[in-house]
Amino acid sequence: MTVAVASGKGGTGKTTVAVALVLSYDRNSVLLDCDVEEPNAGFFLRSKSIKKEEFSVPVPVIDAAKCNLCGRCADFCSFNALALAGSKILVFRDLCHSCGGCSLICPQNAVMEEKNIIGEIHSAESDKIFFVEGTLKIGKAMSPPLIREVKKYGKGENLTVIDCPPGNSCPMITAVRGADYVVLVTEPTPFGRHDLSLAAETVSEMKIPLGVILNRYGSGYKGVEEFCEKRGIEIILKIDEDIKIAQAQSEGKTILDVCPEMKDKMCGIVDKIQKGLTK
Amino acid sequence: MKELVVISGKGGTGKTSITASFAVLSKNSVVADCDVDAADLFLVLNPKMITSGKFISGKKASIISEKCLSCGKCFYLCKFDAVSYDDLTGKYVICDTACEGCGVCAAFCPAGAISFTERECGEWFISKTSHGTMVHARLKIGAENSGKLVSLVRKIAREEGVKEKAEKIIVDGPPGIGCPVIASVTGSDAVFAVTEPSLSGKHDLERVSELVGHFNLPLFACVNKWDVNPEITLEIEKFCVKKGIFFCGKIPYDKNVTKAQIEGKSVVEYDESPAAREISKIWGNLCGKIL
Ligand code: SF4
Ligand code: SF4
Ligand code: SF4
Ligand code: SF4
């Protein structure tokens, strides 16, 4: 079973929940940190590193000897990654989406492939948890291919948890796609409600069942509960606002270190999701 | 006219609350909400919309089922797993949210059965608030190209700024370091990073500072909720000194920040709270340096 932990807004406690879920689970599990722009789950795991590999995507390189400068590749490319400039085809590697179209379209067979390194994949292990994290190289814009690669590590285990990137656009959708269940973490504020409504709409559009965890509960603001009630979305857990949790987390401790009772609650959530899915 | 971009690396550090306060404190500026994925600024600045427009960007493919021969070529060629086979109907279909709009399927479909059309990705707005003009946008659910929408919002904000002879443009930037962030900082005048005193916050600031270094822009920083972890706050201050990041101040943990948001106000309008005082001080520091 794959559970994606996401949130429209960043900083609501998504990583906290993802980490607590795998740490509470009694059997083997996999945690995938797909928040590749700012991967932070690793701070909380104390795991032993297994391997680190560069990750690259194929980008075109033009064989000038074969190219007759017809310009068809540049006309085709939907992302402006190719341009005909005088006697040369220029390749803007970081704009390329690796669709393969230019090499298919070239009548001269002049388009070759080379690698563009966009990030790193790091895998690690700590007793029952297999952990994989993607890190986007600084200055690289395109995170979805790296996210797709990290997700390949999540097959066949009892429980795979995905720590998703924030927001509702391509990186979040790439991370969430294919999950069996999505947990949306939010907080009881107007920003939290608004961002939750967008994220919930995105997930519903993808036809994946979802539940909400309301973090830092106790502000007195009821908007999130009202929203969930209206939409028929279940609030699966409320975590009280407690500065001790924030302090513990700031130094790399987990919520389980400060609130041991969370372990049972997290297990309960996994059980409940599992039962709900097999029903 | 100077353009200041507020970013945070990690999300949820209080960036938008601080940007809203800057918008209120600053005289004669245009505010742009470039956190188009989670555009929340409107919730505290209460804008009244004046003009709006559609954001068209990129394309998307869809199969015209009457023409389709079910040959499966599109399925094999699509590098983004956007085409799938529907067992029930025996037809190929393209998933809207997975299609990146590369056009390969449309170019190679033997039956001309794929339409490749412009994609409406969102909307932009020019609005008035009691503190000046605000430019903001809404990305459609599941849409791509948030980086391009960011560039568009900034462009409109600059045009408005020129019209109004504004002194500053204050941009609420997106989280992270990827495409929308790059689109937010490229060609701006200064970047202000709001961080949190945690290992993750520090790590994210390091990545942000490297990114901003790429663009050769001056970087300013503050720590929000600094008293949650004074030791890490100190480490962040030291890091800033070492990297030539101008450290503008530290905001205490203050429940008034959330209360202000619940009331639909910026922190500095809500109350004479400790956080509000510090934000005003930081704004003074920043203005002194960038103007
Ligand atoms: S692979 Fe696709 S995106 Fe990349 S340059 Fe070629 S046509 Fe453009
Ligand atoms: S399509 Fe091929 S031959 Fe034509 S310009 Fe591009 S690389 Fe050169
Ligand atoms: S390539 Fe064209 S004809 Fe073949 S399955 Fe796709 S849409 Fe249908
Ligand atoms: S346009 Fe490109 S991404 Fe979209 S379905 Fe066709 S091949 Fe796939």
Side-chain angles (χ1 to χ4, degrees):
Chain A
M1 173 175 77
T2 301
V3 177
V5 185
S7 66
K9 179 179 181 301
T12 55
K14 187 171 54 58
T15 304
T16 307
V17 169
V19 168
L21 281 172
V22 290
L23 284 176
S24 306
Y25 193 63
D26 294 324
R27 282 175 286 164
N28 288 348
S29 62
V30 180
L31 176 62
L32 305 176
D33 193 345
C34 286
D35 190 359
V36 301
E37 291 181 43
E38 309 290 0
N40 291 139
F43 286 121
F44 303 101
L45 276 184
R46 292 154 223 151
S47 48
K48 211 168 81 236
S49 179
I50 308 172
K51 90 180 165 201
K52 237 183 195 149
E53 280 173 311
E54 278 178 337
F55 175 70
S56 61
V57 289
V59 291
V61 43
I62 311 294
D63 183 344
K66 287 189 189 160
C67 171
N68 64 8
L69 300 170
C70 72
R72 288 172 66 176
C73 54
D75 287 343
F76 175 81
C77 181
S78 293
F79 309 105
N80 302 318
L82 299 170
L84 178 60
S87 58
K88 212 174 159 204
I89 292 283
L90 294 178
V91 182
F92 302 99
R93 295 155 48 113
D94 291 332
L95 295 179
C96 172
H97 285 224
S98 306
C99 73
C102 48
S103 84
L104 289 167
I105 220 111
C106 174
Q108 298 294 113
N109 246 326
V111 181
M112 310 290 127
E113 256 177 23
E114 65 177 2
K115 287 180 176 168
N116 183 18
I117 297 166
I118 62 161
E120 201 175 67
I121 300 222
H122 178 206
S123 42
E125 216 167 23
S126 75
D127 93 268
K128 295 184 300 301
I129 302 164
F130 181 59
F131 171 61
V132 183
E133 146 194 278
T135 308
L136 187 70
K137 231 173 116 174
I138 289 164
K140 299 289 176 188
M142 212 92 61
S143 59
L146 180 57
I147 295 171
R148 279 194 285 267
E149 187 67 19
V150 174
K151 284 179 69 185
K152 288 187 187 157
Y153 289 82
K155 280 174 192 144
E157 284 295 341
N158 305 315
L159 176 67
T160 297
V161 174
I162 301 178
D163 187 0
C164 301
N168 308 294
S169 60
C170 21
M172 180 266 198
I173 289 173
T174 308
V176 165
R177 176 171 297 117
D180 299 302
Y181 190 91
V182 180
V183 173
L184 293 175
V185 184
T186 191
E187 50 185 34
T189 60
F191 292 0
R193 175 197 164 126
H194 178 243
D195 298 341
L196 171 69
S197 70
L198 299 173
E201 203 180 321
T202 308
V203 174
S204 310
E205 195 140 300
M206 297 171 79
K207 302 190 177 66
I208 306 174
L210 71 129
V212 165
I213 291 185
L214 193 43
N215 195 12
R216 305 196 192 105
Y217 188 63
S219 71
Y221 176 76
K222 294 281 171 232
V224 173
E225 284 134 302
E226 282 161 20
F227 169 82
C228 290
E229 166 104 52
K230 211 168 81 202
R231 293 296 176 87
I233 298 170
E234 188 184 357
I235 297 180
I236 51 180
L237 180 67
K238 289 176 182 164
I239 303 172
D240 287 332
E241 161 100 349
D242 182 348
I243 193 156
K244 280 207 280 314
I245 300 176
Q247 271 157 354
Q249 278 180 332
S250 70
E251 32 194 62
K253 289 194 195 126
T254 74
I255 191 168
L256 302 177
D257 293 327
V258 234
C259 315
E261 75 279 4
M262 273 298 155
K263 182 173 160 51
D264 284 344
K265 291 190 178 158
M266 291 292 160
C267 288
I269 288 176
V270 174
D271 275 350
K272 202 164 155 189
I273 296 175
Q274 196 121 43
K275 286 201 186 99
L277 290 174
T278 46
K279 226 179 2 209
Chain B
M1 194 167 64
K2 298 278 182 193
E3 189 176 11
L4 172 73
V5 186
V6 184
I7 58 171
S8 65
K10 183 178 177 300
T13 58
K15 171 179 65 63
T16 301
S17 296
I18 292 171
T19 311
S21 296
F22 285 176
V24 171
L25 292 168
S26 108
K27 307 278 173 297
N28 194 10
S29 66
V30 171
V31 181
D33 191 350
C34 285
D35 191 355
V36 294
D37 234 22
D40 289 336
L41 206 49
F42 81 96
L43 292 166
V44 283
L45 289 181
N46 311 305
K48 286 219 168 37
M49 205 247 284
I50 308 285
T51 342
S52 69
K54 284 197 165 66
F55 167 58
I56 311 274
S57 178
K59 295 194 161 178
K60 66 168 183 197
S62 53
I63 295 176
I64 308 159
S65 66
E66 305 82 65
K67 289 194 189 169
C68 171
L69 313 170
S70 290
C71 71
K73 191 155 186 185
C74 50
F75 175 80
Y76 292 108
L77 287 180
C78 177
K79 289 264 169 48
F80 308 99
D81 295 333
V83 187
S84 57
Y85 182 73
D86 187 342
D87 285 322
L88 282 174
T89 57
K91 293 259 178 205
Y92 286 93
V93 281
I94 293 174
C95 165
D96 236 22
T97 53
C99 173
E100 297 211 5
C102 68
V104 166
C105 57
F108 292 95
C109 168
I114 295 177
S115 72
F116 194 50
T117 49
E118 284 191 327
R119 188 197 294 251
E120 189 189 322
C121 289
E123 255 181 304
W124 54 264
F125 315 94
I126 300 175
S127 303
K128 290 279 171 230
T129 76
S130 37
H131 314 284
T133 301
M134 169 172 173
V135 182
H136 46 134
R138 189 167 53 215
L139 197 65
K140 253 191 149 174
I141 293 299
E144 306 236 348
N145 291 318
S146 54
K148 288 198 177 131
L149 184 53
V150 165
S151 307
L152 180 67
V153 168
R154 281 182 61 204
K155 186 172 144 256
I156 297 171
R158 271 196 300 272
E159 288 165 3
E160 288 303 301
V162 169
K163 263 191 241 160
E164 296 174 11
K165 300 199 172 54
E167 264 170 30
K168 290 184 223 69
I169 294 175
I170 304 171
V171 176
D172 189 10
I177 57 156
C179 139
V181 181
I182 293 175
S184 302
V185 301
T186 316
S188 69
D189 298 293
V191 180
F192 179 64
V194 179
T195 186
E196 257 181 14
S198 65
L199 291 176
S200 335
K202 181 167 172 267
H203 175 245
D204 295 344
L205 178 67
E206 289 166 11
R207 282 169 66 78
V208 159
S209 92
E210 207 180 311
L211 180 78
V212 173
H214 249 66
F215 292 94
N216 247 322
L217 291 169
L219 178 60
F220 301 80
C222 77
V223 175
N224 193 13
K225 305 186 194 157
W226 74 272
D227 39 357
V228 167
N229 194 325
E231 291 81 37
I232 297 183
T233 298
L234 192 65
E235 281 175 38
I236 292 176
E237 283 184 65
K238 282 188 194 149
F239 171 79
C240 289
V241 171
K242 205 173 94 199
K243 293 284 172 171
I245 300 167
F246 185 76
F247 191 81
C248 299
K250 39 192 193 186
I251 304 160
Y253 177 83
D254 186 341
K255 290 216 156 120
N256 287 304
V257 174
T258 307
K259 284 189 192 148
Q261 195 193 110
I262 293 172
E263 297 275 314
K265 290 190 179 132
S266 72
V267 183
V268 289
E269 287 167 301
Y270 179 66
D271 205 0
E272 255 298 301
S273 63
R277 270 198 298 279
E278 190 58 27
I279 293 174
S280 305
K281 217 166 89 194
I282 290 172
W283 177 243
N285 278 342
L286 258 174
C287 288
K289 291 279 169 185
I290 57 172
L291 283 175

